[in-house]
Amino acid sequence: MARKNRDEVALLDVEPVPVLCPMCERVIPDDQKDAHHLVPKSKGGKKTVCLHRVCHDQIHAIFTDSQLAKKFFTIEALLEDPAVQKFVAWVKSKHPGFSDSAKESRQASGSRRGRKL
């Protein structure tokens, strides 16, 4: 029987690096990971970032796809918006596995768009 290489054994004991949400800066549990298209797929976007599901849902509750494509196509731009800042300040105090339904904003409420949960 062949001996195991010590390096191989050491690799098995390594814990995965936790993924931090770029919005709220909390660790994202595996069951709360959501891929967010910085430019919506409907507008030709391909690049994604990993977000907490609650943060992702809130982004889509606040902004339309057109707004995301034209103005809010970076994390930095999203974090400059007062509604997002208010949400992030609130959600930062929650535990990493916290989940809640997104609140529809006044900006998006007229269009009645948004994902059904």
Side-chain angles (χ1 to χ4, degrees):
M1 185 178 251
R3 290 185 175 172
K4 288 187 177 182
N5 185 341
R6 288 183 188 194
D7 293 335
E8 290 176 12
V9 173
L11 290 176
L12 297 175
D13 295 333
V14 175
E15 291 187 28
V17 177
V19 177
L20 293 180
C21 178
M23 296 290 293
C24 66
E25 300 173 340
R26 297 177 301 141
V27 174
I28 308 173
D30 288 339
D31 66 338
Q32 293 290 318
K33 290 180 182 176
D34 255 2
H36 170 66
H37 284 84
L38 292 170
V39 173
K41 282 177 27 176
S42 63
K43 303 291 183 183
K46 295 184 185 339
K47 186 178 178 187
T48 62
V49 294
C50 187
L51 301 176
H52 263 107
R53 182 166 297 126
V54 69
C55 295
H56 188 209
D57 288 345
Q58 190 64 26
I59 289 169
H60 287 285
I62 295 172
F63 304 111
T64 65
D65 284 353
S66 294
Q67 289 171 318
L68 290 169
K70 291 177 186 173
K71 186 175 179 185
F72 299 103
F73 51 86
T74 65
I75 295 298
E76 293 77 19
L78 287 165
L79 290 172
E80 289 177 5
D81 183 78
V84 173
Q85 289 174 355
K86 182 178 177 182
F87 168 76
V88 168
W90 172 77
V91 82
K92 275 187 175 189
S93 67
K94 308 301 182 202
H95 63 87
F98 175 78
S99 124
D100 191 22
S101 58
K103 309 299 184 257
E104 194 170 2
S105 75
R106 283 181 258 154
Q107 292 177 10
S109 64
S111 66
R112 288 290 176 214
R113 68 166 297 287
R115 298 182 307 165
K116 305 260 185 206
L117 298 177

